[in-house]
mmCIF file of all heavy atoms in Angstrom:
data_model
loop_
_atom_site.group_PDB
_atom_site.id
_atom_site.type_symbol
_atom_site.label_atom_id
_atom_site.label_comp_id
_atom_site.label_asym_id
_atom_site.label_seq_id
_atom_site.Cartn_x
_atom_site.Cartn_y
_atom_site.Cartn_z
ATOM 1 N N ALA A 34 38.586 163.708 104.519
ATOM 2 C CA ALA A 34 37.263 163.083 104.385
ATOM 3 C C ALA A 34 36.265 163.727 105.339
ATOM 4 O O ALA A 34 35.128 164.035 104.946
ATOM 5 C CB ALA A 34 37.360 161.582 104.644
ATOM 6 N N ALA A 35 36.666 163.945 106.575
ATOM 7 C CA ALA A 35 35.778 164.593 107.544
ATOM 8 C C ALA A 35 35.440 166.017 107.092
ATOM 9 O O ALA A 35 34.282 166.442 107.144
ATOM 10 C CB ALA A 35 36.419 164.611 108.930
ATOM 11 N N LYS A 36 36.447 166.726 106.619
ATOM 12 C CA LYS A 36 36.226 168.100 106.143
ATOM 13 C C LYS A 36 35.236 168.111 104.983
ATOM 14 O O LYS A 36 34.319 168.932 104.938
ATOM 15 C CB LYS A 36 37.557 168.738 105.731
ATOM 16 C CG LYS A 36 37.423 170.171 105.283
ATOM 17 C CD LYS A 36 38.780 170.770 104.951
ATOM 18 C CE LYS A 36 38.621 172.198 104.501
ATOM 19 N NZ LYS A 36 39.906 172.812 104.158
ATOM 20 N N GLN A 37 35.422 167.188 104.021
ATOM 21 C CA GLN A 37 34.499 167.137 102.884
ATOM 22 C C GLN A 37 33.090 166.737 103.310
ATOM 23 O O GLN A 37 32.114 167.134 102.671
ATOM 24 C CB GLN A 37 35.026 166.176 101.810
ATOM 25 C CG GLN A 37 36.205 166.739 101.051
ATOM 26 C CD GLN A 37 36.624 165.882 99.884
ATOM 27 O OE1 GLN A 37 35.896 165.014 99.421
ATOM 28 N NE2 GLN A 37 37.823 166.128 99.366
ATOM 29 N N ALA A 38 32.987 165.981 104.396
ATOM 30 C CA ALA A 38 31.669 165.610 104.921
ATOM 31 C C ALA A 38 31.049 166.747 105.722
ATOM 32 O O ALA A 38 29.861 166.714 106.045
ATOM 33 C CB ALA A 38 31.782 164.359 105.794
ATOM 34 N N GLY A 39 31.868 167.746 106.047
ATOM 35 C CA GLY A 39 31.365 168.893 106.807
ATOM 36 C C GLY A 39 31.189 168.596 108.286
ATOM 37 O O GLY A 39 30.333 169.184 108.945
ATOM 38 N N VAL A 40 32.018 167.673 108.802
ATOM 39 C CA VAL A 40 31.932 167.303 110.216
ATOM 40 C C VAL A 40 33.327 167.242 110.826
ATOM 41 O O VAL A 40 34.332 167.240 110.117
ATOM 42 C CB VAL A 40 31.223 165.934 110.403
ATOM 43 C CG1 VAL A 40 29.787 165.995 109.904
ATOM 44 C CG2 VAL A 40 31.985 164.819 109.695
ATOM 45 N N TRP A 41 33.360 167.182 112.152
ATOM 46 C CA TRP A 41 34.620 166.992 112.862
ATOM 47 C C TRP A 41 34.964 165.504 112.822
ATOM 48 O O TRP A 41 34.079 164.658 112.766
ATOM 49 C CB TRP A 41 34.495 167.439 114.329
ATOM 50 C CG TRP A 41 34.178 168.887 114.485
ATOM 51 C CD1 TRP A 41 32.960 169.427 114.762
ATOM 52 C CD2 TRP A 41 35.091 169.970 114.377
ATOM 53 N NE1 TRP A 41 33.053 170.784 114.827
ATOM 54 C CE2 TRP A 41 34.355 171.155 114.598
ATOM 55 C CE3 TRP A 41 36.462 170.073 114.115
ATOM 56 C CZ2 TRP A 41 34.936 172.407 114.561
ATOM 57 C CZ3 TRP A 41 37.033 171.329 114.090
ATOM 58 C CH2 TRP A 41 36.284 172.471 114.307
ATOM 59 N N CYS A 42 36.236 165.188 112.895
ATOM 60 C CA CYS A 42 36.660 163.784 112.912
ATOM 61 C C CYS A 42 35.971 163.025 114.041
ATOM 62 O O CYS A 42 35.563 161.877 113.862
ATOM 63 C CB CYS A 42 38.178 163.678 113.054
ATOM 64 S SG CYS A 42 39.096 164.134 111.562
ATOM 65 N N ARG A 43 35.811 163.645 115.195
ATOM 66 C CA ARG A 43 35.201 162.954 116.339
ATOM 67 C C ARG A 43 33.732 162.614 116.106
ATOM 68 O O ARG A 43 33.145 161.832 116.840
ATOM 69 C CB ARG A 43 35.387 163.771 117.612
ATOM 70 C CG ARG A 43 34.620 165.073 117.633
ATOM 71 C CD ARG A 43 34.829 165.815 118.967
ATOM 72 N NE ARG A 43 34.104 167.053 118.972
ATOM 73 C CZ ARG A 43 34.569 168.225 118.587
ATOM 74 N NH1 ARG A 43 35.817 168.310 118.148
ATOM 75 N NH2 ARG A 43 33.826 169.303 118.630
ATOM 76 N N GLN A 44 33.128 163.173 115.063
ATOM 77 C CA GLN A 44 31.741 162.871 114.723
ATOM 78 C C GLN A 44 31.629 161.704 113.742
ATOM 79 O O GLN A 44 30.523 161.300 113.401
ATOM 80 C CB GLN A 44 31.074 164.106 114.120
ATOM 81 C CG GLN A 44 30.950 165.270 115.085
ATOM 82 C CD GLN A 44 30.424 166.508 114.383
ATOM 83 O OE1 GLN A 44 31.151 167.160 113.629
ATOM 84 N NE2 GLN A 44 29.161 166.806 114.612
ATOM 85 N N CYS A 45 32.762 161.169 113.308
ATOM 86 C CA CYS A 45 32.776 160.132 112.275
ATOM 87 C C CYS A 45 32.936 158.736 112.870
ATOM 88 O O CYS A 45 33.649 158.544 113.847
ATOM 89 C CB CYS A 45 33.949 160.357 111.314
ATOM 90 S SG CYS A 45 33.866 161.889 110.385
ATOM 91 N N LEU A 46 32.282 157.795 112.226
ATOM 92 C CA LEU A 46 32.531 156.375 112.466
ATOM 93 C C LEU A 46 33.195 155.853 111.206
ATOM 94 O O LEU A 46 32.603 155.894 110.125
ATOM 95 C CB LEU A 46 31.229 155.616 112.735
ATOM 96 C CG LEU A 46 31.361 154.089 112.792
ATOM 97 C CD1 LEU A 46 32.281 153.665 113.944
ATOM 98 C CD2 LEU A 46 29.989 153.440 112.907
ATOM 99 N N PHE A 47 34.415 155.372 111.346
ATOM 100 C CA PHE A 47 35.169 154.850 110.217
ATOM 101 C C PHE A 47 35.140 153.330 110.275
ATOM 102 O O PHE A 47 35.496 152.724 111.288
ATOM 103 C CB PHE A 47 36.617 155.367 110.238
ATOM 104 C CG PHE A 47 37.457 154.813 109.141
ATOM 105 C CD1 PHE A 47 37.267 155.209 107.831
ATOM 106 C CD2 PHE A 47 38.438 153.872 109.406
ATOM 107 C CE1 PHE A 47 38.036 154.684 106.797
ATOM 108 C CE2 PHE A 47 39.218 153.341 108.391
ATOM 109 C CZ PHE A 47 39.010 153.750 107.083
ATOM 110 N N ILE A 48 34.729 152.700 109.191
ATOM 111 C CA ILE A 48 34.608 151.245 109.098
ATOM 112 C C ILE A 48 35.626 150.750 108.078
ATOM 113 O O ILE A 48 35.666 151.245 106.948
ATOM 114 C CB ILE A 48 33.176 150.857 108.667
ATOM 115 C CG1 ILE A 48 32.174 151.406 109.672
ATOM 116 C CG2 ILE A 48 33.056 149.348 108.510
ATOM 117 C CD1 ILE A 48 30.742 151.453 109.154
ATOM 118 N N ASP A 49 36.436 149.778 108.489
ATOM 119 C CA ASP A 49 37.472 149.260 107.600
ATOM 120 C C ASP A 49 37.824 147.846 108.040
ATOM 121 O O ASP A 49 37.565 147.465 109.186
ATOM 122 C CB ASP A 49 38.718 150.155 107.660
ATOM 123 C CG ASP A 49 39.600 150.029 106.429
ATOM 124 O OD1 ASP A 49 40.347 149.041 106.325
ATOM 125 O OD2 ASP A 49 39.544 150.932 105.580
ATOM 126 N N ASP A 50 38.431 147.100 107.151
ATOM 127 C CA ASP A 50 38.820 145.732 107.487
ATOM 128 C C ASP A 50 40.305 145.605 107.834
ATOM 129 O O ASP A 50 40.790 144.501 108.060
ATOM 130 C CB ASP A 50 38.460 144.768 106.353
ATOM 131 C CG ASP A 50 39.145 145.106 105.040
ATOM 132 O OD1 ASP A 50 39.731 146.202 104.912
ATOM 133 O OD2 ASP A 50 39.093 144.263 104.125
ATOM 134 N N LEU A 51 41.014 146.726 107.910
ATOM 135 C CA LEU A 51 42.440 146.698 108.239
ATOM 136 C C LEU A 51 42.712 147.491 109.513
ATOM 137 O O LEU A 51 42.376 148.678 109.606
ATOM 138 C CB LEU A 51 43.277 147.280 107.095
ATOM 139 C CG LEU A 51 43.240 146.528 105.761
ATOM 140 C CD1 LEU A 51 44.057 147.262 104.721
ATOM 141 C CD2 LEU A 51 43.748 145.106 105.939
ATOM 142 N N GLU A 52 43.326 146.822 110.482
ATOM 143 C CA GLU A 52 43.658 147.456 111.763
ATOM 144 C C GLU A 52 44.500 148.715 111.580
ATOM 145 O O GLU A 52 44.301 149.705 112.269
ATOM 146 C CB GLU A 52 44.411 146.469 112.666
ATOM 147 C CG GLU A 52 43.547 145.424 113.294
ATOM 148 C CD GLU A 52 42.739 145.937 114.483
ATOM 149 O OE1 GLU A 52 42.986 147.062 114.964
ATOM 150 O OE2 GLU A 52 41.843 145.196 114.904
ATOM 151 N N GLU A 53 45.449 148.662 110.647
ATOM 152 C CA GLU A 53 46.333 149.804 110.405
ATOM 153 C C GLU A 53 45.533 151.060 110.070
ATOM 154 O O GLU A 53 45.819 152.156 110.559
ATOM 155 C CB GLU A 53 47.293 149.450 109.264
ATOM 156 C CG GLU A 53 48.218 150.571 108.849
ATOM 157 C CD GLU A 53 49.090 150.196 107.657
ATOM 158 O OE1 GLU A 53 48.677 149.362 106.826
ATOM 159 O OE2 GLU A 53 50.178 150.773 107.566
ATOM 160 N N ASN A 54 44.494 150.898 109.260
ATOM 161 C CA ASN A 54 43.664 152.039 108.889
ATOM 162 C C ASN A 54 42.811 152.508 110.065
ATOM 163 O O ASN A 54 42.577 153.708 110.235
ATOM 164 C CB ASN A 54 42.792 151.685 107.693
ATOM 165 C CG ASN A 54 43.614 151.433 106.449
ATOM 166 O OD1 ASN A 54 44.730 151.928 106.309
ATOM 167 N ND2 ASN A 54 43.079 150.642 105.537
ATOM 168 N N LEU A 55 42.338 151.572 110.870
ATOM 169 C CA LEU A 55 41.538 151.937 112.042
ATOM 170 C C LEU A 55 42.373 152.721 113.049
ATOM 171 O O LEU A 55 41.890 153.693 113.637
ATOM 172 C CB LEU A 55 40.950 150.686 112.699
ATOM 173 C CG LEU A 55 39.971 149.899 111.840
ATOM 174 C CD1 LEU A 55 39.533 148.635 112.555
ATOM 175 C CD2 LEU A 55 38.767 150.740 111.453
ATOM 176 N N LYS A 56 43.613 152.322 113.236
ATOM 177 C CA LYS A 56 44.505 153.036 114.163
ATOM 178 C C LYS A 56 44.719 154.474 113.693
ATOM 179 O O LYS A 56 44.717 155.412 114.493
ATOM 180 C CB LYS A 56 45.837 152.315 114.292
ATOM 181 C CG LYS A 56 45.748 151.035 115.093
ATOM 182 C CD LYS A 56 47.084 150.326 115.150
ATOM 183 C CE LYS A 56 46.943 149.000 115.870
ATOM 184 N NZ LYS A 56 48.174 148.213 115.839
ATOM 185 N N ALA A 57 44.902 154.652 112.402
ATOM 186 C CA ALA A 57 45.108 155.996 111.862
ATOM 187 C C ALA A 57 43.850 156.842 112.024
ATOM 188 O O ALA A 57 43.923 158.015 112.375
ATOM 189 C CB ALA A 57 45.507 155.918 110.393
ATOM 190 N N ALA A 58 42.680 156.238 111.785
ATOM 191 C CA ALA A 58 41.417 156.962 111.953
ATOM 192 C C ALA A 58 41.222 157.351 113.415
ATOM 193 O O ALA A 58 40.822 158.485 113.729
ATOM 194 C CB ALA A 58 40.249 156.111 111.461
ATOM 195 N N ALA A 59 41.507 156.432 114.326
ATOM 196 C CA ALA A 59 41.369 156.716 115.758
ATOM 197 C C ALA A 59 42.337 157.819 116.190
ATOM 198 O O ALA A 59 42.001 158.642 117.047
ATOM 199 C CB ALA A 59 41.595 155.446 116.568
ATOM 200 N N ALA A 60 43.510 157.856 115.580
ATOM 201 C CA ALA A 60 44.517 158.866 115.927
ATOM 202 C C ALA A 60 44.043 160.287 115.615
ATOM 203 O O ALA A 60 44.497 161.240 116.242
ATOM 204 C CB ALA A 60 45.832 158.575 115.209
ATOM 205 N N VAL A 61 43.126 160.429 114.647
ATOM 206 C CA VAL A 61 42.581 161.767 114.353
ATOM 207 C C VAL A 61 41.248 161.995 115.061
ATOM 208 O O VAL A 61 40.601 163.011 114.852
ATOM 209 C CB VAL A 61 42.446 162.030 112.828
ATOM 210 C CG1 VAL A 61 43.810 161.979 112.150
ATOM 211 C CG2 VAL A 61 41.453 161.098 112.172
ATOM 212 N N GLY A 62 40.823 161.031 115.883
ATOM 213 C CA GLY A 62 39.628 161.204 116.697
ATOM 214 C C GLY A 62 38.386 160.479 116.224
ATOM 215 O O GLY A 62 37.320 160.611 116.830
ATOM 216 N N MET A 63 38.489 159.733 115.141
ATOM 217 C CA MET A 63 37.310 159.019 114.641
ATOM 218 C C MET A 63 37.026 157.784 115.491
ATOM 219 O O MET A 63 37.933 157.135 115.995
ATOM 220 C CB MET A 63 37.519 158.586 113.185
ATOM 221 C CG MET A 63 37.576 159.718 112.213
ATOM 222 S SD MET A 63 37.782 159.092 110.520
ATOM 223 C CE MET A 63 37.674 160.615 109.598
ATOM 224 N N LYS A 64 35.754 157.464 115.623
ATOM 225 C CA LYS A 64 35.356 156.180 116.183
ATOM 226 C C LYS A 64 35.577 155.157 115.073
ATOM 227 O O LYS A 64 35.535 155.507 113.900
ATOM 228 C CB LYS A 64 33.886 156.220 116.609
ATOM 229 C CG LYS A 64 33.597 157.210 117.720
ATOM 230 C CD LYS A 64 32.085 157.354 117.890
ATOM 231 C CE LYS A 64 31.655 158.731 118.239
ATOM 232 N NZ LYS A 64 31.931 159.789 117.326
ATOM 233 N N THR A 65 35.787 153.899 115.446
ATOM 234 C CA THR A 65 36.107 152.904 114.427
ATOM 235 C C THR A 65 35.333 151.607 114.644
ATOM 236 O O THR A 65 34.871 151.313 115.748
ATOM 237 C CB THR A 65 37.614 152.576 114.421
ATOM 238 O OG1 THR A 65 37.987 152.004 115.666
ATOM 239 C CG2 THR A 65 38.450 153.816 114.138
ATOM 240 N N HIS A 66 35.217 150.866 113.559
ATOM 241 C CA HIS A 66 34.642 149.521 113.578
ATOM 242 C C HIS A 66 35.476 148.647 112.655
ATOM 243 O O HIS A 66 35.665 148.993 111.488
ATOM 244 C CB HIS A 66 33.185 149.539 113.096
ATOM 245 C CG HIS A 66 32.614 148.166 112.903
ATOM 246 N ND1 HIS A 66 31.995 147.481 113.920
ATOM 247 C CD2 HIS A 66 32.602 147.342 111.824
ATOM 248 C CE1 HIS A 66 31.609 146.286 113.464
ATOM 249 N NE2 HIS A 66 31.968 146.184 112.198
ATOM 250 N N LEU A 67 35.960 147.518 113.196
ATOM 251 C CA LEU A 67 36.696 146.563 112.381
ATOM 252 C C LEU A 67 35.682 145.703 111.642
ATOM 253 O O LEU A 67 34.942 144.932 112.255
ATOM 254 C CB LEU A 67 37.605 145.677 113.239
ATOM 255 C CG LEU A 67 38.358 144.575 112.496
ATOM 256 C CD1 LEU A 67 39.312 145.168 111.449
ATOM 257 C CD2 LEU A 67 39.131 143.705 113.480
ATOM 258 N N PHE A 68 35.628 145.850 110.316
ATOM 259 C CA PHE A 68 34.657 145.094 109.525
ATOM 260 C C PHE A 68 35.097 143.646 109.389
ATOM 261 O O PHE A 68 36.206 143.359 108.954
ATOM 262 C CB PHE A 68 34.483 145.705 108.130
ATOM 263 C CG PHE A 68 33.481 144.947 107.315
ATOM 264 C CD1 PHE A 68 32.127 145.180 107.497
ATOM 265 C CD2 PHE A 68 33.881 143.983 106.407
ATOM 266 C CE1 PHE A 68 31.186 144.453 106.770
ATOM 267 C CE2 PHE A 68 32.947 143.258 105.677
ATOM 268 C CZ PHE A 68 31.596 143.496 105.860
ATOM 269 N N LYS A 69 34.177 142.750 109.785
ATOM 270 C CA LYS A 69 34.386 141.314 109.605
ATOM 271 C C LYS A 69 33.298 140.738 108.720
ATOM 272 O O LYS A 69 33.569 139.944 107.847
ATOM 273 C CB LYS A 69 34.416 140.610 110.951
ATOM 274 C CG LYS A 69 35.608 141.005 111.795
ATOM 275 C CD LYS A 69 35.652 140.276 113.101
ATOM 276 C CE LYS A 69 36.864 140.774 113.892
ATOM 277 N NZ LYS A 69 36.940 140.230 115.206
ATOM 278 N N ASP A 70 32.066 141.167 108.984
ATOM 279 C CA ASP A 70 30.938 140.698 108.187
ATOM 280 C C ASP A 70 29.746 141.631 108.430
ATOM 281 O O ASP A 70 29.740 142.429 109.363
ATOM 282 C CB ASP A 70 30.573 139.250 108.519
ATOM 283 C CG ASP A 70 30.271 139.025 109.993
ATOM 284 O OD1 ASP A 70 29.498 139.810 110.580
ATOM 285 O OD2 ASP A 70 30.806 138.060 110.564
ATOM 286 N N ALA A 71 28.762 141.523 107.564
ATOM 287 C CA ALA A 71 27.601 142.420 107.629
ATOM 288 C C ALA A 71 26.787 142.255 108.912
ATOM 289 O O ALA A 71 26.380 143.267 109.496
ATOM 290 C CB ALA A 71 26.726 142.227 106.396
ATOM 291 N N PRO A 72 26.516 141.034 109.393
ATOM 292 C CA PRO A 72 25.734 140.917 110.635
ATOM 293 C C PRO A 72 26.406 141.602 111.835
ATOM 294 O O PRO A 72 25.742 142.252 112.639
ATOM 295 C CB PRO A 72 25.620 139.403 110.846
ATOM 296 C CG PRO A 72 25.740 138.818 109.481
ATOM 297 C CD PRO A 72 26.722 139.706 108.771
ATOM 298 N N THR A 73 27.734 141.466 111.928
ATOM 299 C CA THR A 73 28.458 142.113 113.022
ATOM 300 C C THR A 73 28.400 143.631 112.880
ATOM 301 O O THR A 73 28.212 144.351 113.861
ATOM 302 C CB THR A 73 29.924 141.623 113.053
ATOM 303 O OG1 THR A 73 29.936 140.206 113.125
ATOM 304 C CG2 THR A 73 30.678 142.200 114.234
ATOM 305 N N LEU A 74 28.527 144.126 111.664
ATOM 306 C CA LEU A 74 28.421 145.560 111.414
ATOM 307 C C LEU A 74 27.029 146.058 111.784
ATOM 308 O O LEU A 74 26.884 147.068 112.479
ATOM 309 C CB LEU A 74 28.724 145.887 109.951
ATOM 310 C CG LEU A 74 28.518 147.340 109.526
ATOM 311 C CD1 LEU A 74 29.376 148.288 110.348
ATOM 312 C CD2 LEU A 74 28.787 147.494 108.032
ATOM 313 N N ARG A 75 25.998 145.368 111.341
ATOM 314 C CA ARG A 75 24.624 145.774 111.648
ATOM 315 C C ARG A 75 24.408 145.833 113.165
ATOM 316 O O ARG A 75 23.832 146.779 113.692
ATOM 317 C CB ARG A 75 23.622 144.833 110.990
ATOM 318 C CG ARG A 75 22.172 145.281 111.168
ATOM 319 C CD ARG A 75 21.209 144.403 110.392
ATOM 320 N NE ARG A 75 21.237 144.623 108.966
ATOM 321 C CZ ARG A 75 20.649 145.639 108.341
ATOM 322 N NH1 ARG A 75 19.971 146.546 109.017
ATOM 323 N NH2 ARG A 75 20.716 145.749 107.027
#
C-alpha cells in the first residue's frame, strides 16, 4: 500500500478499528490510529 502510494511506510498514518491490524502497520513503521468514532478521528 505504501509503495502504491509512492511513499515510505513511516510517512503513512494507518487508521483501523482492529488492534491486530494496527500492530502490523506499526511493525512496518506506519503511524496508527485506533478508529472508534469520527469525532475522535477528527
Side-chain angles (χ1 to χ4, degrees):
K36 182 177 180 181
Q37 287 187 16
V40 297
W41 298 101
C42 287
R43 67 178 180 269
Q44 295 174 286
C45 297
L46 171 62
F47 177 72
I48 301 163
D49 202 282
D50 60 348
L51 296 177
E52 284 283 349
E53 177 184 28
N54 294 335
L55 297 176
K56 287 178 184 174
V61 298
M63 292 181 175
K64 296 170 216 61
T65 63
H66 171 89
L67 176 62
F68 181 81
K69 294 182 182 175
D70 56 48
T73 305
L74 174 59
R75 185 174 286 282

